[in-house]
Amino acid sequence: MLRFLLLTSLAALVLAELEPQPRYLEDDGVQERVVGGEVARPNSWPWQISLQYQSGSGYAHTCGGTLIKRGWVMTAAHCVDRSMTWRVVLGDHDIYGNDGTEQYKSVSQVYVHPYWNSNNVAGGYDIALLRLSTDATLNNYVQLATLPPSGQVLPNNNPCYITGWGRTQTGGQLSAKLKQAYLPVVDYNTCSSSGWWGSTVKNTMVCAGGGSESGCQGDSGGPLNCSVNGQWTVHGVTSFVSSSGCNAYRKPTVFTRVSAYISWITSVSIS
């Protein structure tokens, strides 16, 4: 039986047995990047952030995220559902170097979706909002993401890119530089069918990819950037892949569908 792999970098969380089970895409401390794809042009995804936790006297990357308002970041619930000292790095490209474009922000408040259950990733609600201590300064390197209208569902094969600093292969190393990989949408009927993800995937999720490219540990919480009417829109929050491998056959990367949570995002971040 398959397990889920959660795409964070702090801890690989093994979940209760489910059908095909996912793993979160955090980095588990062994250092985990987008599989396939290529290094992105610096600051070409200016809403992408690096979520980092305090480790000793420094900070370590664990997840991605998306700047949605000057004082608010969207990420995955499983990235922040434990008590840590967090910071957000905006305008970054090389997480191990100083690009001179970075903005460092502490997190004053974490809002995990109230229905999130860390023991049941397949239940959905893998979304959280971070209130920054001070507002971001918007410039050529730091911009707000465009979110979709409530309820919008993209068609099969809609062009999208995952972006992140996660592992470059299953069990590999974190990418120093931001990577991108082309992951077209896999529609819900296909993704939830037998031989794919089955009932593990809910209609509040988005599947994308399923071939040689995918998300991997360290990519969790980051954006699925989709081209809609000529504009890049963040339609997904990176959530999980199959524990049998980041780019397992017919196990596309699974994202929280942002358009299913617009009313919650608005209610939390209205202040």
Side-chain angles (χ1 to χ4, degrees):
M1 182 173 287
L2 296 175
R3 296 178 182 274
F4 298 118
L5 173 59
L6 299 179
L7 300 182
T8 71
S9 66
L10 195 51
L13 305 179
V14 179
L15 303 182
E17 293 277 332
L18 284 172
E19 216 185 308
Q21 293 196 329
R23 252 165 107 193
Y24 291 125
L25 298 180
E26 290 172 287
D27 180 34
D28 57 12
V30 187
Q31 315 241 318
E32 306 181 51
R33 127 170 128 164
V34 166
V35 176
E38 64 276 329
V39 172
R41 183 169 51 84
N43 308 110
S44 56
W45 306 102
W47 44 85
Q48 168 88 45
I49 66 94
S50 168
L51 176 63
Q52 303 181 358
Y53 64 97
Q54 190 169 14
S55 177
S57 60
Y59 282 83
H61 172 87
T62 184
C63 283
T66 300
L67 185 68
I68 60 169
K69 294 185 178 181
R70 288 191 305 149
W72 291 89
V73 162
M74 176 176 67
T75 189
H78 76 259
C79 289
V80 291
D81 62 0
R82 75 217 74 171
S83 180
M84 305 286 287
T85 299
W86 307 103
R87 79 171 181 184
V88 164
V89 186
L90 309 152
D92 210 353
H93 180 64
D94 185 337
I95 56 172
Y96 298 135
N98 186 356
D99 300 311
T101 56
E102 298 92 345
Q103 296 177 40
Y104 299 92
K105 303 290 182 182
S106 58
V107 173
S108 61
Q109 188 74 39
V110 175
Y111 297 87
V112 173
H113 194 285
Y115 293 160
W116 165 249
N117 179 355
S118 59
N119 294 314
N120 181 23
V121 60
Y125 307 104
D126 191 10
I127 188 169
L129 296 177
L130 309 178
R131 181 73 181 262
L132 304 182
S133 55
T134 57
D135 283 357
T137 300
L138 303 184
N139 53 33
N140 290 338
Y141 313 101
V142 176
Q143 291 289 326
L144 302 182
T146 298
L147 300 186
S150 182
Q152 185 176 57
V153 175
L154 297 181
N156 198 55
N157 283 328
N158 192 99
C160 301
Y161 281 85
I162 186 176
T163 50
W165 290 275
R167 296 189 183 217
T168 51
Q169 60 188 28
T170 306
Q173 298 296 307
L174 274 181
S175 174
K177 296 179 179 179
L178 185 69
K179 287 197 74 186
Q180 63 185 38
Y182 179 65
L183 297 187
V185 168
V186 178
D187 65 27
Y188 174 71
N189 285 343
T190 301
C191 196
S192 62
S193 64
S194 176
W196 289 68
W197 272 110
S199 62
T200 298
V201 164
K202 308 299 185 288
N203 62 9
T204 55
M205 302 173 184
V206 178
C207 300
S212 61
E213 299 184 343
S214 73
C216 205
Q217 282 72 34
D219 290 326
S220 264
L224 179 67
N225 309 284
C226 298
S227 179
V228 182
N229 298 324
Q231 182 178 38
W232 290 111
T233 306
V234 175
H235 266 265
V237 176
T238 308
S239 187
F240 62 83
V241 293
S242 170
S243 64
S244 61
C246 289
N247 53 349
Y249 179 63
R250 288 190 171 178
K251 295 295 181 290
T253 307
V254 181
F255 302 81
T256 301
R257 177 166 63 82
V258 174
S259 66
Y261 296 94
I262 295 298
S263 60
W264 178 75
I265 291 168
T266 302
S267 69
V268 171
S269 63
I270 199 75
S271 57

